[in-house]
Amino acid sequence: MEVANKHVTLKTHIEGAPKESDFELKTSPLALSLDPGSGEMIVKNLYVSIDPHQLNQMKSCSLLQKTSTGFDGIALGEEIEAYGVAKVVASDNVDFEKGDVVMGVVTWAEYSKIRRNGMIRKIDPLGFPLSYHLGILGYSGLTAYAGFFEICKPKRGEKVFVSTAAGSVGNLVGQYAKLHGCYVVGCAGSKRKVQLLKEKLGFDEAFNYKEETDLNSTLKRYFPDGIDIYFDNVGAEMQEAAVANMNTFGRVAVSGVISEYADPGKRAAPNMLQVIFKRIKIHGFLAADHVGLFQDFISTTSHHLRNGELCPLEDISDSLDSIPFAFTGLFRGDNIGKKIVKIA
């Protein structure tokens, strides 16, 4: 049996902010049969993740491509890899059967062929929607959990600042921090997001960074006694202002710098005298560094979800065709929570 497989490809390498015209929707035939001994399988994609870091793979060259295994550059015309949840429709892999629900590296496509030793695993839905396994129970959640608890090592009562706090990672950091007994302030890019942070997610305070002309003064206003922990998702001027307002032995977990991905001219330049004399720790990390925490993360987060102590924040679009708009929207600040596209 053969199907017409619709998929999204890269039309041109991207330097700067992505545009919908940088992508192309193609259709190609895909046989749903596999060669015996190939160890391959074919999956029907149900949900795919839309993540800012993918822009670094869409450039002709980037530091991510040079330094991180598994984040190679994307060739023009090729399918674009992404994390997804899928159902196995054909398998020559002894570890997977037709009908298994899996999570891992698939492609922005209706169907994906998973090679032998592909980064894929079976998932137990645990009674939650499958989309949760790309967000709150997926790598976004692990990033928030590991960055906050493993890197920042919070203490009850500490003061926490989270940038892009209505995004896929930031909203969870803030919620974990509140559950841990911290004082939490987040920033976001619209009045609606600010209200959501305070009224739905329980942040103590939040502000719209687009309305602030002096970030240093803004943070002094919200943290008159200084910041103990800064969870950085944005980089650039926000990181500089946060470091300037940190307390001695402050910790900065850097999980992303979205403002710098699309603007090569932006760079964070924290005052290094502050870093030295205050003994501030600035730690960049990837979720993959902390896969050993995965079971603890799943157990803890599932418990909080079942008790109604965590609020999943998802932004789900429908159909493969919507992927270019969904991806470019990340850099306009369109999304609230984890951006996902439902394929089937």
Side-chain angles (χ1 to χ4, degrees):
M1 180 182 173
E2 188 175 88
V3 295
N5 186 31
K6 193 185 294 185
H7 54 279
V8 176
T9 67
L10 192 62
K11 189 189 296 185
T12 181
H13 285 120
I14 302 171
E15 305 301 333
K19 308 179 298 296
E20 289 179 65
S21 58
D22 294 327
F23 303 93
E24 187 172 9
L25 199 64
K26 292 185 176 180
T27 301
S28 58
L30 175 68
L32 296 185
S33 57
L34 296 166
D35 295 331
S38 66
E40 297 177 335
M41 61 182 179
I42 295 170
V43 300
K44 183 174 179 62
N45 296 318
L46 307 177
Y47 295 91
V48 292
S49 180
I50 310 295
D51 295 298
H53 77 261
Q54 292 175 284
L55 182 61
N56 295 293
Q57 294 177 264
M58 297 174 184
K59 298 177 180 182
S60 55
C61 182
S62 75
L63 186 61
L64 180 69
Q65 296 173 27
K66 293 178 180 179
T67 60
S68 301
T69 303
F71 293 98
D72 298 332
I74 298 168
L76 301 184
E78 285 190 358
E79 292 184 20
I80 297 170
E81 288 188 341
Y83 291 110
V85 172
K87 181 172 285 191
V88 177
V89 295
S91 177
D92 188 63
N93 186 321
V94 295
D95 295 323
F96 299 90
E97 297 179 355
K98 183 178 179 179
D100 283 346
V101 178
V102 296
M103 183 270 177
V105 178
V106 296
T107 54
W108 282 353
E110 292 178 319
Y111 295 86
S112 298
K113 180 176 280 190
I114 310 298
R115 309 293 180 184
R116 188 192 298 271
N117 299 324
M119 292 178 60
I120 204 91
R121 61 180 177 83
K122 294 180 191 176
I123 59 171
D124 176 357
L126 301 171
F128 299 113
L130 291 177
S131 58
Y132 282 20
H133 295 270
L134 292 180
I136 195 167
L137 294 174
Y139 286 111
S140 294
L142 179 61
T143 300
Y145 186 87
F148 185 63
F149 290 108
E150 187 73 5
I151 292 172
C152 295
K153 298 191 182 303
K155 302 178 186 69
R156 181 173 294 275
E158 286 195 309
K159 295 170 284 294
V160 178
F161 175 48
V162 185
S163 59
T164 60
S168 61
V169 174
N171 88 86
L172 293 172
V173 174
Q175 292 187 74
Y176 284 137
K178 286 303 300 175
L179 285 170
H180 198 70
C182 296
Y183 172 81
V184 185
V185 176
C187 71
S190 72
K191 181 179 179 180
R192 178 188 175 199
K193 291 180 180 180
V194 167
Q195 288 177 325
L196 180 144
L197 293 176
K198 293 194 291 186
E199 296 172 8
K200 186 172 182 178
L201 302 188
F203 282 56
D204 294 287
E205 290 289 350
F207 64 89
N208 182 350
Y209 67 88
K210 293 180 180 178
E211 296 177 346
E212 303 294 338
T213 56
D214 185 339
L215 293 173
N216 189 37
S217 296
T218 300
L219 291 180
K220 283 187 189 303
R221 187 168 75 247
Y222 284 99
F223 294 98
D225 298 319
I227 300 168
D228 297 304
I229 291 171
Y230 172 45
F231 201 101
D232 189 12
N233 296 300
V234 67
E237 299 92 341
M238 193 68 76
Q239 187 189 103
E240 295 173 27
V243 168
N245 282 276
M246 295 202 80
N247 291 325
T248 303
F249 299 112
R251 289 86 77 201
V252 181
V254 186
S255 80
V257 288
I258 189 171
S259 69
E260 299 182 30
Y261 296 161
D263 186 347
K266 281 200 171 189
R267 289 291 183 272
N271 184 325
M272 296 310 292
L273 288 177
Q274 294 261 3
V275 174
I276 294 167
F277 296 141
K278 291 184 180 179
R279 283 86 89 199
I280 295 168
K281 180 176 79 170
I282 302 177
H283 190 143
F285 73 102
L286 300 174
D289 302 334
H290 299 279
V291 291
L293 291 175
F294 195 79
Q295 289 308 316
D296 286 341
F297 151 67
I298 288 291
S299 176
T300 300
T301 304
S302 297
H303 172 76
H304 289 316
L305 278 171
R306 290 192 177 96
N307 288 346
E309 296 165 338
L310 281 175
C311 176
L313 208 57
E314 297 183 308
D315 190 330
I316 301 179
S317 300
D318 280 315
S319 87
L320 187 81
D321 304 39
S322 71
I323 286 179
F325 182 78
F327 182 73
T328 56
L330 290 177
F331 299 88
R332 296 187 297 266
D334 292 352
N335 64 299
I336 296 179
K338 176 64 185 177
K339 186 63 193 177
I340 297 168
V341 171
K342 182 179 181 181
I343 306 296

